[in-house]
Amino acid sequence: AIKVRGAIKDHLSDLPGVTIYASETMTELLPQPVLWQFMGDTKFCLVPRGRAAWSVRFFETLWAGCVPVVLSDEYQLPFEELFDVTEFVIKWPVSQIHTLYRYLSTLPDSVIEAYTAAARRVR
């Protein structure tokens, strides 16, 4: 988990149009309504690997309306056997995080809208 967050900071935090909000402790986290508004105002929300086999951030991104970008080489998404998650989730290998910004910035709005529409159908 620390490796993924370090890669995010190293490769994405200083790029135009990118805002990374991270905290060291739970007490420094944004209040949930503020976090959801923040996430809802973005096109993409990063879902780095957590300490457990799943991440609550994944579900938060679905409800917030941004496209989940799952950053993990081994993360198995919930409900993969029930839904075609490739319709509403971008899975990106940590080893390729240095290419993520370029990829996301080239996606047309129509593709992003298709991702968010598919997410609304399954949530």
Side-chain angles (χ1 to χ4, degrees):
I2 292 172
K3 176 183 167 187
V4 175
R5 285 164 176 76
I8 291 169
K9 183 179 177 188
D10 291 346
H11 294 287
L12 302 174
S13 63
D14 294 329
L15 296 171
V18 175
T19 302
I20 304 290
Y21 185 84
S23 63
E24 295 294 322
T25 67
M26 293 297 288
T27 58
E28 295 173 356
L29 290 175
L30 292 173
Q32 280 192 334
V34 175
L35 176 64
W36 292 332
Q37 180 68 44
F38 179 73
M39 292 169 69
D41 290 340
T42 67
K43 291 181 181 180
F44 306 102
C45 291
L46 303 180
V47 182
R49 179 180 167 225
R51 293 184 187 121
W54 57 276
S55 172
V56 71
R57 183 74 62 232
F58 173 73
F59 297 102
E60 290 173 338
T61 62
L62 287 178
W63 288 106
C66 52
V67 178
V69 179
V70 175
L71 302 171
S72 178
D73 298 326
E74 300 151 12
Y75 185 77
Q76 294 298 316
L77 295 171
F79 315 115
E80 273 187 292
E81 54 282 338
L82 299 175
F83 305 108
D84 182 3
V85 296
T86 62
E87 292 181 357
F88 59 93
V89 174
I90 297 171
K91 289 176 83 173
W92 201 262
V94 175
S95 63
Q96 295 300 309
I97 200 164
H98 62 281
T99 64
L100 179 61
Y101 179 81
R102 183 177 23 181
Y103 173 76
L104 295 177
S105 63
T106 62
L107 287 176
D109 286 340
S110 60
V111 171
I112 298 166
E113 291 165 9
Y115 274 111
T116 55
R120 280 193 300 275
R121 286 192 300 272
V122 299
R123 63 177 188 205

